[in-house]
Amino acid sequence: MRGLKVLPSGRPGMGRLFVNLPDGRAVAWYDRRTNRISLLDETHREAVLAALRPYLSGEPAVGPPPVPTPAERLRLALAPDRDLAPNRPGEPLLGELAYGSPGTRTRHRLRREIEAREAVGAELEALEAMDWRVLHAVPLPGGGVIDHLLIGPAGVFCVATVAGRRQRVRAGDLLVTVGRADPRPDVRHIRRAAAHAARALRAPATPVVAVVDAATVEVAPTLRDVRVLQPALTPYFTTATPALKPPDADALFSLARDTSTWLP
């Protein structure tokens, strides 16, 4: 059948590919993660396979859509204004930069902070190919934000981003100091954020400080409960001890992407 259109959904390279009729109705979708084609109309099988052939990886499974899991049903019922999944890294800072009236120095600082969050966010999103899920700019009561929330095989991680600015970064039990600037409470904040995440998700959450573009990083020997990492971050998460099965990680991600989980 001619006229079938293949349209992507989700993050590039990671979301589903939908196959639509000329009038816009979907007849199938291809899930890259599971290498499965779900057919909504069996009569279009051959046309769908032909349209998807350039995008397939190996021999896909083909059949009717699987029965939604409880986590998927929760996600499908989520109103768009409550869904955190579309948030970009540094979302609040992007809004401040675009709609606020910062001075030149503040604008420069915001850009630097946004670039750091984008760098960490890109590295965490790359883990999605290995069954991880990531959310950015998760809101907290009182106006705080978790820069990145990572959920996957090794558990739940709350990640704060520190822009190193090619200077020495020192992480203590409560504060982080970049160069000669005033100390910042990143360690204290991410520790509290992880405790809140553990209560909200009813699952252990590990606090992480990700340092970007630092000359050197010094960590106080007494700082043991907060992980201080530098890119590349991937080895730490991919080699950590497995703690969650895929259905449990999916259920936690569905819960975490709902704003009301964090701001009831």
Side-chain angles (χ1 to χ4, degrees):
M1 179 180 181
R2 293 188 177 183
L4 291 182
K5 296 181 180 179
V6 178
L7 301 174
S9 174
R11 291 193 179 102
M14 295 306 305
R16 292 173 172 174
L17 292 175
F18 282 85
V19 183
N20 293 355
L21 295 171
D23 63 5
R25 287 184 296 125
V27 292
W29 69 79
Y30 172 51
D31 191 323
R32 289 185 171 105
R33 289 182 57 246
T34 60
N35 197 27
R36 175 186 173 85
I37 298 174
S38 296
L39 287 170
L40 297 174
D41 189 338
E42 183 67 28
T43 61
H44 296 300
R45 173 185 283 260
E46 295 305 320
V48 165
L49 291 175
L52 286 173
R53 189 164 292 119
Y55 308 97
L56 299 179
S57 175
E59 189 66 27
V62 183
V67 177
T69 65
E72 288 172 332
R73 289 197 294 269
L74 180 62
R75 175 180 58 81
L76 292 170
L78 189 61
D81 61 347
R82 287 171 47 191
D83 191 357
L84 297 174
N87 279 8
R88 298 165 295 177
E91 188 80 42
L93 303 182
L94 288 165
E96 185 178 348
L97 188 63
Y99 303 110
S101 301
T104 301
R105 292 185 63 181
T106 301
R107 185 176 293 274
H108 179 69
R109 177 185 61 79
L110 287 173
R111 288 201 182 104
R112 191 167 54 217
E113 295 288 343
I114 290 169
E115 289 172 358
R117 283 159 177 75
E118 289 175 340
V120 172
E123 191 161 359
L124 297 180
E125 287 174 11
L127 291 169
E128 290 182 333
M130 292 172 273
D131 292 328
W132 290 82
R133 306 285 180 272
V134 61
L135 294 170
H136 308 292
V138 175
L140 295 172
V145 170
I146 301 174
D147 290 342
H148 316 279
L149 183 75
L150 186 67
I151 300 174
V156 179
F157 298 85
C158 298
V159 183
T161 304
V162 173
R165 309 199 304 269
R166 299 181 182 178
Q167 300 183 57
R168 182 176 66 165
V169 174
R170 290 166 290 171
D173 290 340
L174 299 175
L175 305 173
V176 171
T177 305
V178 179
R180 297 181 179 179
D182 292 335
R184 308 173 1 162
D186 298 84
V187 174
R188 184 175 62 206
H189 284 175
I190 199 61
R191 184 183 286 122
R192 290 178 177 175
H196 182 79
R199 292 191 298 270
L201 301 176
R202 298 181 181 88
T206 301
V208 175
V209 173
V211 182
V212 178
D213 195 28
T216 60
V217 178
E218 300 174 4
V219 182
T222 52
L223 181 61
R224 298 188 179 94
D225 62 323
V226 178
R227 305 295 182 184
V228 179
L229 304 177
Q230 300 181 71
L233 308 175
T234 302
Y236 171 73
F237 297 110
T238 56
T239 59
T241 303
L244 293 175
K245 296 179 179 179
D248 297 327
D250 287 342
L252 284 173
F253 180 71
S254 293
L255 182 62
R257 65 189 294 177
D258 188 343
T259 303
S260 65
T261 298
W262 308 97
L263 304 175

